[in-house]
Structures are given as C-alpha cells and as structure tokens.
Amino acid sequence: MWDRLKARADAVQDRRIVDLMDDARATEFAVETATMRFDYAKTNLDAETRDMLLALAQDAGVAARRGAMFAGAPINETEGRAVLHTALRNLDGDAVMVDGQDVMPGVRETLARMEAYAGQVRDSAVTDVVNIGIGGSDLGPAMATQALSPYHDGPRVHFVSNVDGAHIADVLQGLEAKTTFVVVASKTFTTIETMTNARTARAWMSEHGGDPSAQFAALSTNLEKTAAFGIPGDRVFGFEDWVGGRYSMWGPIGLSLMIAIGPEGFRAFLRGGQEMDRHFRAAEGAENMPLMLALVGIWHRQACGYASRAVLPYDQRLGQLPAYLQQLEMESNGKSVAMDGTRIPVDTGPIVWGAPGTNGQHAFYQLIHQGTSVIPCEFMVAARGHEPELQHHHALLMANCLAQSEALMRGRTLDAALAKIADKFAGDELERQAAHRVFDGNRPSTTLVYETLDPFTLGQIIALYEHRVFVEGVILGINSYDQWGVELGKELATALQPIIEGETPADGKDGSTRALVAWLRARG
Ligand code: F6P
C-alpha cells in the first residue's frame, strides 16, 4: 500500500491544486462539527487518493484499535498499560473497565477533590500559583492557561519547567512567599528538573517567610515519593499509569489551569474533549475530523515525503500550541521501530514546528513561500476574538490567515511577476528582478476554523490532535504511548554531572565531550 500511495503522490505532484478547486471541492474536502470546520481542499488530495487513504486506515485496523483504546485494553504494549486519558473527560459516560474494575468512580472522586481544592485556593488570600513540572506536566497546562486568559478569574498562574536556574529565579522574583502556592506536577515524581526546581522553591519559601508544609500540592502517580517530599495526602492529587504524561492535562495535571479559570471553565474544557471523543467514535470515514486530519498528515509525510509540518495558529493566545504539539506528536510518533519490534519501512512522524500568525509572516514564511522544501501548513483561526472593541484587528487577522493559504496555493507566475514590475525595470534587469518575485505556489495547507477560543473549543482542539496522533500511530504500527528515546540522554546527563562538577574524571568520554567539559570548567 505504501508503494501505491507514493506512486500516487508522484503521479499527481505536478498537478495544480488551484485547478482542482471549485465550490463543490470546498464542501467535499472539509469536515465540520457543531463549532469547527477543518478544510483540506487546498491540498493535492482528490477523491481517489482519499479513498486509498481511508482504505489504508481500514486495513491498519484503526476502528478496532480505537475501540480497544476506549475500552481500556493495554494498547501501550511496551509498558503493558491501558491508554485512557479519555476516561478523565468521560464526565457523563459509561463505565470504563481496567483489569475488571470501573475506573470512573475514582476519576470523578479526584475531579471533585480538585474542584473543592481549586475553589479553596481561589477563595483564599493566595495571589500567585507556581506550577513546577516539565514536558507533559508543563506544556499542556501552560499552553491552555495562556489560551484561556480571557477566562482567568483566580490567582495569577506561573509555570517553571527548565532546570536552568534562570527560569525559577525569574518567576520567583517579585512573588510574595506568604501568598504564593506551589504545585509540583510530575507523573513519576522523579524527574530531575522538576525535583530540583521543587526543592529550590521549597527553600525559597522557607527563607522568605512562607510555609512549604502548607503551601505545596503535588500531582503525581507516585504517592510514596510525594509523601517522602513532605506533601500531605490531602494535597496530593493522584492519577493512574494509564494516563500518559503528554495526555495528562485533563486530570490532576490540569489543576493550575483549573485554579486559573475555575472548576466550571475546566469542566467546559473536559466537555469539549468528550465531545470530540464522541465524534471520533461515531463519525464515519471522511466525516471523521481526527481521521481526516491524520490521513492528510500521512499523505504529506509518508506519501509526498514532506519532512515537516508547520502549525500556524492565527491566535496569539495559542502561542504555546506548537510547542505543546511538538511533544504530543514527536514524542508519540517519532519512532523507528514498530510495535512488533521490526523496523518501520517508511518515514514516521514529521518534524512539527510553528508560531502564531501574523508574527511568523514577518519571520520564517519567506522560506515557506519560496524555499526549496515544501512545508505543509496547518492554519487555524477563530471567527470571533475576545475583544469586540478591536474587531478591526480580528478582521485583519482572519484576512491574513486566509491570504497565506491562498498565496501558497496560487503562487505567482513569471508573467504576473513581469507585469507587476514592468513600469520599474526593463530588459535583462526586468527579467532578473521578476525571477525573485516568482512564487511556485501549489504548496498545500489546511485550515481549522472555530467559533471562538473558549474552554469547550480548546478541549475539542486538543482532543482532535490527540486522536490524530493515535490514528497516525496505528497506521504506522507505532506504539504512540511510550518514549524510550528520551532515556539515553537522561542516563548520560546523570553520569556527566559529577564530571562537570569536577568530582569524577572525564576519562572514558569522547574527545569532543572532554574538550567541552574542560572549556566550561575553566571558565565556570
Ligand atoms: O522525559 C520525557 C518525559 O517522561 C515526558 O514524557 C513527560 O511528560 C516528562 O518527561 C515529565 O515527566 P514527569 O511528569 O514524570 O515529571
């Protein structure tokens, strides 16, 4: 099938997307839910290719695997775990069984405890909350807290992730220890960066008149370690190992977000996720938004061979979405080995990157429009902003978003470039100048439009991307829920720390590493 798909991509690559376009295509190559529309009409997909991709998903057993995931089967096979972040947003859904036990009563109880606790913090004299975590224990809540800033009505929420002391120093500077609350977010409660920052925050609080024994909470699966750190059980919010780190913002890891927007807002976020789950389970074939988002991804990466994809939210408050999606997609599907231990015969997950528009237009879009690599772009924009008095800004924002996808598709021919500057240049100089103003065009993009970036919609968007990762993983035969690739660097860092600190000789390290250690030590 991969060969057929690649052959198809080769066969159609010179065809102009703009020539395929008509009103019928705009309807046929789009998927809608009640509040969102995903348009993939500006790609080089046609009905026949889409059928091939749908057949690929069917052959890969996406539907059966989806059923297995929602039913609590241990689809994270290398770790022998279920994958049930969906249970965290299954607010009024059916029982979800893991090892013969319904996990929903526990999920509801934890949510109720979080709500009571968030309410308490919001009603108290706490002015600032510092969330200490990294990776999935940071990127999700940090991204969502920024995304939903119009809904903040609680204490200020800050995020510290990097072990670089600059991060915690900058965040703590100016905070009042007596009215600051620290949330240590770590699934394992062993992550070196998080534990180092947590100890630093604890020392800062003691030194500045706060009381860490009363002003720390923990979010973790490791209740032994949270107790050993000295956080009492009533301020520990536990979850199970069937929630992956990068999928964990729907449960206790979302506590800081809940404190910022309130329990009601957080429930709306969960309802958005649950709504997307329902859609993902029920919608058939090309009507299924996560499935189509995934198949467009497969088409671009595995069939057309485009190495990266750019996520371009025309929504300033989604500024951290690209970083969040980098972890979600690249930690999930950046693998070379299939579930059965064999080498995967095709390219796997693409490089995911991006930044909000319109800023990116004035930075890296040059390469997207005229560079030698084709980069499929994923645009996003809301129909309404949160600043009615600045409607003209929003109109400009939307215009820019749509203009970019149109420009990428249409490009500009040499004749058009010549005509545009014919009054300024002549002869060879006209030819030379015009060449720089040609845009090849025919560059694919998709556009996700949504009504407004409220908690419900954000929940839908995040669940949409989670399911996209799932579908792409199943088609590639990957286990999207482990991350062995992060281990080696962690081990080597642990071994290097005493060498950097001069406690252990650098013998046994390679020449480059030894030279770098010597340089840093000499100047440190
Ligand atoms: O090192 C990668 C990783 O394990 C991520 O998968 C995870 O989100 C992050 O580290 C943080 O882990 P923890 O929540 O256990 O501190």
Side-chain angles (χ1 to χ4, degrees):
M1 189 52 134
W2 291 121
D3 289 344
R4 279 188 57 214
L5 261 180
K6 285 181 187 168
R8 180 79 191 151
D10 288 344
V12 302
Q13 72 164 344
D14 293 329
R15 174 176 76 182
R16 304 289 297 179
I17 299 169
V18 72
D19 295 337
L20 302 175
M21 193 61 75
D22 57 22
D23 291 350
R25 179 176 174 84
T27 309
E28 215 198 308
F29 289 77
V31 196
E32 282 199 14
T33 64
T35 57
M36 301 201 305
R37 178 184 175 91
F38 169 60
D39 176 303
Y40 58 100
K42 294 191 187 91
T43 66
N44 209 335
L45 279 174
D46 52 28
E48 193 185 328
T49 317
R50 183 173 59 193
D51 285 347
M52 286 171 73
L53 288 162
L54 286 167
L56 181 73
Q58 198 167 11
D59 293 351
V62 167
R65 198 89 185 153
R66 179 182 61 197
M69 175 173 75
F70 279 97
I75 65 162
N76 173 356
E77 292 178 15
T78 54
E79 298 179 310
R81 294 174 181 168
V83 173
L84 274 180
H85 47 280
T86 51
L88 301 174
R89 55 200 189 221
N90 180 33
L91 291 185
D92 42 17
D94 298 337
V96 178
M97 308 301 282
V98 177
D99 297 332
Q101 271 218 315
D102 181 9
V103 301
M104 287 315 301
V107 167
R108 288 195 197 98
E109 191 197 317
T110 304
L111 179 61
R113 282 187 60 226
M114 285 169 64
E115 291 180 333
Y117 194 69
Q120 226 175 292
V121 173
R122 284 160 56 83
D123 290 343
S124 73
V126 168
T127 54
D128 295 89
V129 171
V130 179
N131 187 96
I132 297 180
I134 197 165
S137 299
D138 167 75
L139 289 164
M143 174 275 296
T145 299
Q146 183 187 11
L148 299 176
S149 65
Y151 300 87
H152 287 201
D153 55 2
R156 288 181 293 263
V157 177
H158 315 264
F159 290 86
V160 173
S161 52
N162 202 325
V163 76
D164 183 343
H167 201 175
I168 193 154
D170 285 353
V171 169
L172 294 184
Q173 197 181 34
L175 296 191
E176 173 57 62
K178 287 190 184 126
T179 58
T180 294
F181 199 81
V182 175
V183 174
V184 185
S186 175
K187 178 176 170 179
T188 55
F189 230 70
T190 57
T191 304
I192 191 82
E193 293 92 332
T194 300
M195 299 326 297
T196 303
N197 279 323
R199 283 190 287 270
T200 299
R202 190 169 58 182
W204 167 84
M205 190 172 274
S206 300
E207 282 159 23
H208 291 81
D211 178 6
S213 70
Q215 293 169 239
F216 266 62
L219 321 172
S220 184
T221 57
N222 193 337
L223 305 188
E224 263 175 42
K225 296 263 184 218
T226 56
F229 191 84
I231 301 180
D234 61 329
R235 268 183 277 118
V236 175
F237 299 88
F239 54 105
E240 303 294 329
D241 67 4
W242 37 257
V243 179
R246 53 194 173 274
Y247 298 86
S248 62
M249 63 186 298
W250 309 96
I253 295 294
L255 183 67
S256 298
L257 170 66
M258 187 192 274
I259 291 173
I261 64 170
E264 263 314 300
F266 193 78
R267 272 195 185 244
F269 171 69
L270 297 183
R271 273 196 299 277
Q274 187 188 27
E275 187 60 30
M276 185 52 70
D277 293 343
R278 289 195 179 119
H279 167 86
F280 180 48
R281 296 175 84 173
E284 294 287 342
E287 299 298 313
N288 191 306
M289 194 181 281
L291 179 64
M292 287 318 302
L293 182 61
L295 293 181
V296 171
I298 293 276
W299 169 247
H300 286 150
R301 177 69 182 120
Q302 282 75 30
C304 302
Y306 305 142
S308 83
R309 61 176 164 237
V311 182
L312 306 168
Y314 278 65
D315 200 321
Q316 181 62 21
R317 295 191 177 106
L318 285 178
Q320 295 185 55
L321 185 73
Y324 168 79
L325 290 179
Q326 261 170 358
Q327 185 194 18
L328 184 68
E329 302 201 19
M330 294 168 76
E331 197 167 75
S332 296
N333 288 344
K335 318 235 163 110
S336 314
V337 170
M339 196 80 89
D340 62 6
T342 58
R343 204 88 196 159
I344 296 168
V346 288
D347 289 322
T348 58
I351 298 158
V352 177
W353 62 286
T358 60
N359 294 19
Q361 291 175 202
H362 301 275
F364 54 80
Y365 277 40
Q366 165 64 41
L367 185 149
I368 293 180
H369 283 287
Q370 287 189 316
T372 50
S373 301
V374 173
I375 299 170
C377 293
E378 302 193 345
F379 294 101
M380 307 172 71
V381 72
R384 287 191 310 279
H386 285 84
E387 291 73 29
E389 70 288 5
L390 299 176
Q391 182 49 34
H392 58 297
H393 284 245
H394 198 71
L396 250 180
L397 186 72
M398 290 190 287
N400 271 278
C401 180
L402 300 188
Q404 291 298 325
S405 64
E406 190 184 348
L408 286 167
M409 174 178 68
R410 286 190 191 284
R412 185 193 282 147
T413 61
L414 180 61
D415 283 347
L418 286 166
K420 202 165 168 57
I421 53 172
D423 57 338
K424 290 201 187 80
F425 304 100
D428 287 352
E429 185 58 8
L430 174 61
E431 297 279 331
R432 193 176 74 84
Q433 289 285 348
H436 292 276
R437 290 160 169 80
V438 170
F439 291 64
D440 291 339
N442 216 25
R443 300 199 166 195
S445 69
T446 61
T447 305
L448 181 71
V449 287
Y450 44 92
E451 289 182 3
T452 198
L453 190 62
D454 57 17
F456 180 84
T457 303
L458 184 69
Q460 279 196 306
I461 291 173
I462 300 308
L464 167 67
Y465 278 96
E466 286 178 350
H467 293 322
R468 170 213 222 154
V469 169
F470 166 84
V471 172
E472 291 192 3
V474 173
I475 290 175
L476 292 166
I478 281 174
N479 177 6
S480 302
Y481 303 99
D482 61 13
Q483 57 282 322
W484 301 108
V486 302
E487 296 301 325
L488 181 58
K490 284 187 194 173
E491 284 166 27
L492 293 179
T494 306
L496 265 163
Q497 189 178 351
I499 296 175
I500 301 258
E501 288 176 341
E503 289 163 10
T504 314
D507 309 351
K509 290 288 162 197
D510 62 89
S512 158
T513 305
R514 279 204 312 275
L516 289 167
V517 168
W519 196 97
L520 289 166
R521 276 186 54 74
R523 289 158 181 83

